[in-house]
Each structure stands twice: as C-alpha cells, then as structure tokens.
Amino acid sequence: MLPTEPSTPGTERQSWLERRRDKVRAEIERNRRGEYTVPTWVLALALALMVGGWLALVVFA
C-alpha cells in the first residue's frame, strides 16, 4: 500500500463533493436512458391513499 498524505479538511470536503457530483451525474444519465424507478415509499404512500379512499367511500357512502 502506498503511503498517503494526511488528509486536510479541504481535501476531504473536495473529495466528498466530487463523489456526490459523480453520483448525481450518474443518476441523471440513468434517468435519461429510461432506468428511472419510483422510490418504494412513494409506491407505499400511493397504495395507502388508494386503500384509504376506497375504505372511506365504502364506510361513509
């Protein structure tokens, strides 16, 4: 293993920022290719709202 220089706060922040930027860029590229997926919590919320609406319709109608 090669010896590394001690990290300074500016260097750590820069590398974190670069990693974050790369992740965002990769996500945008995936979305443009059509690989977009809906987060699970959004699907669960939509299901809960539909079931709740159906129950409200059955109970209060």
Side-chain angles (χ1 to χ4, degrees):
M1 189 163 133
L2 297 172
T4 58
E5 297 178 18
S7 61
T8 59
T11 306
E12 264 183 40
R13 183 177 176 97
Q14 182 67 24
S15 63
W16 174 84
L17 187 60
E18 288 174 11
R19 284 194 309 269
R20 178 72 182 143
R21 209 175 281 149
D22 290 342
K23 286 169 95 175
V24 170
R25 192 172 292 131
E27 183 177 355
I28 291 170
E29 289 173 5
R30 279 194 308 275
N31 292 345
R32 286 182 178 164
R33 287 193 304 264
E35 298 176 22
Y36 177 74
T37 57
V38 178
T40 305
W41 68 268
V42 173
L43 295 174
L45 180 63
L47 178 62
L49 289 173
M50 285 188 278
V51 170
W54 181 80
L55 284 173
L57 186 65
V58 168
V59 171
F60 297 113

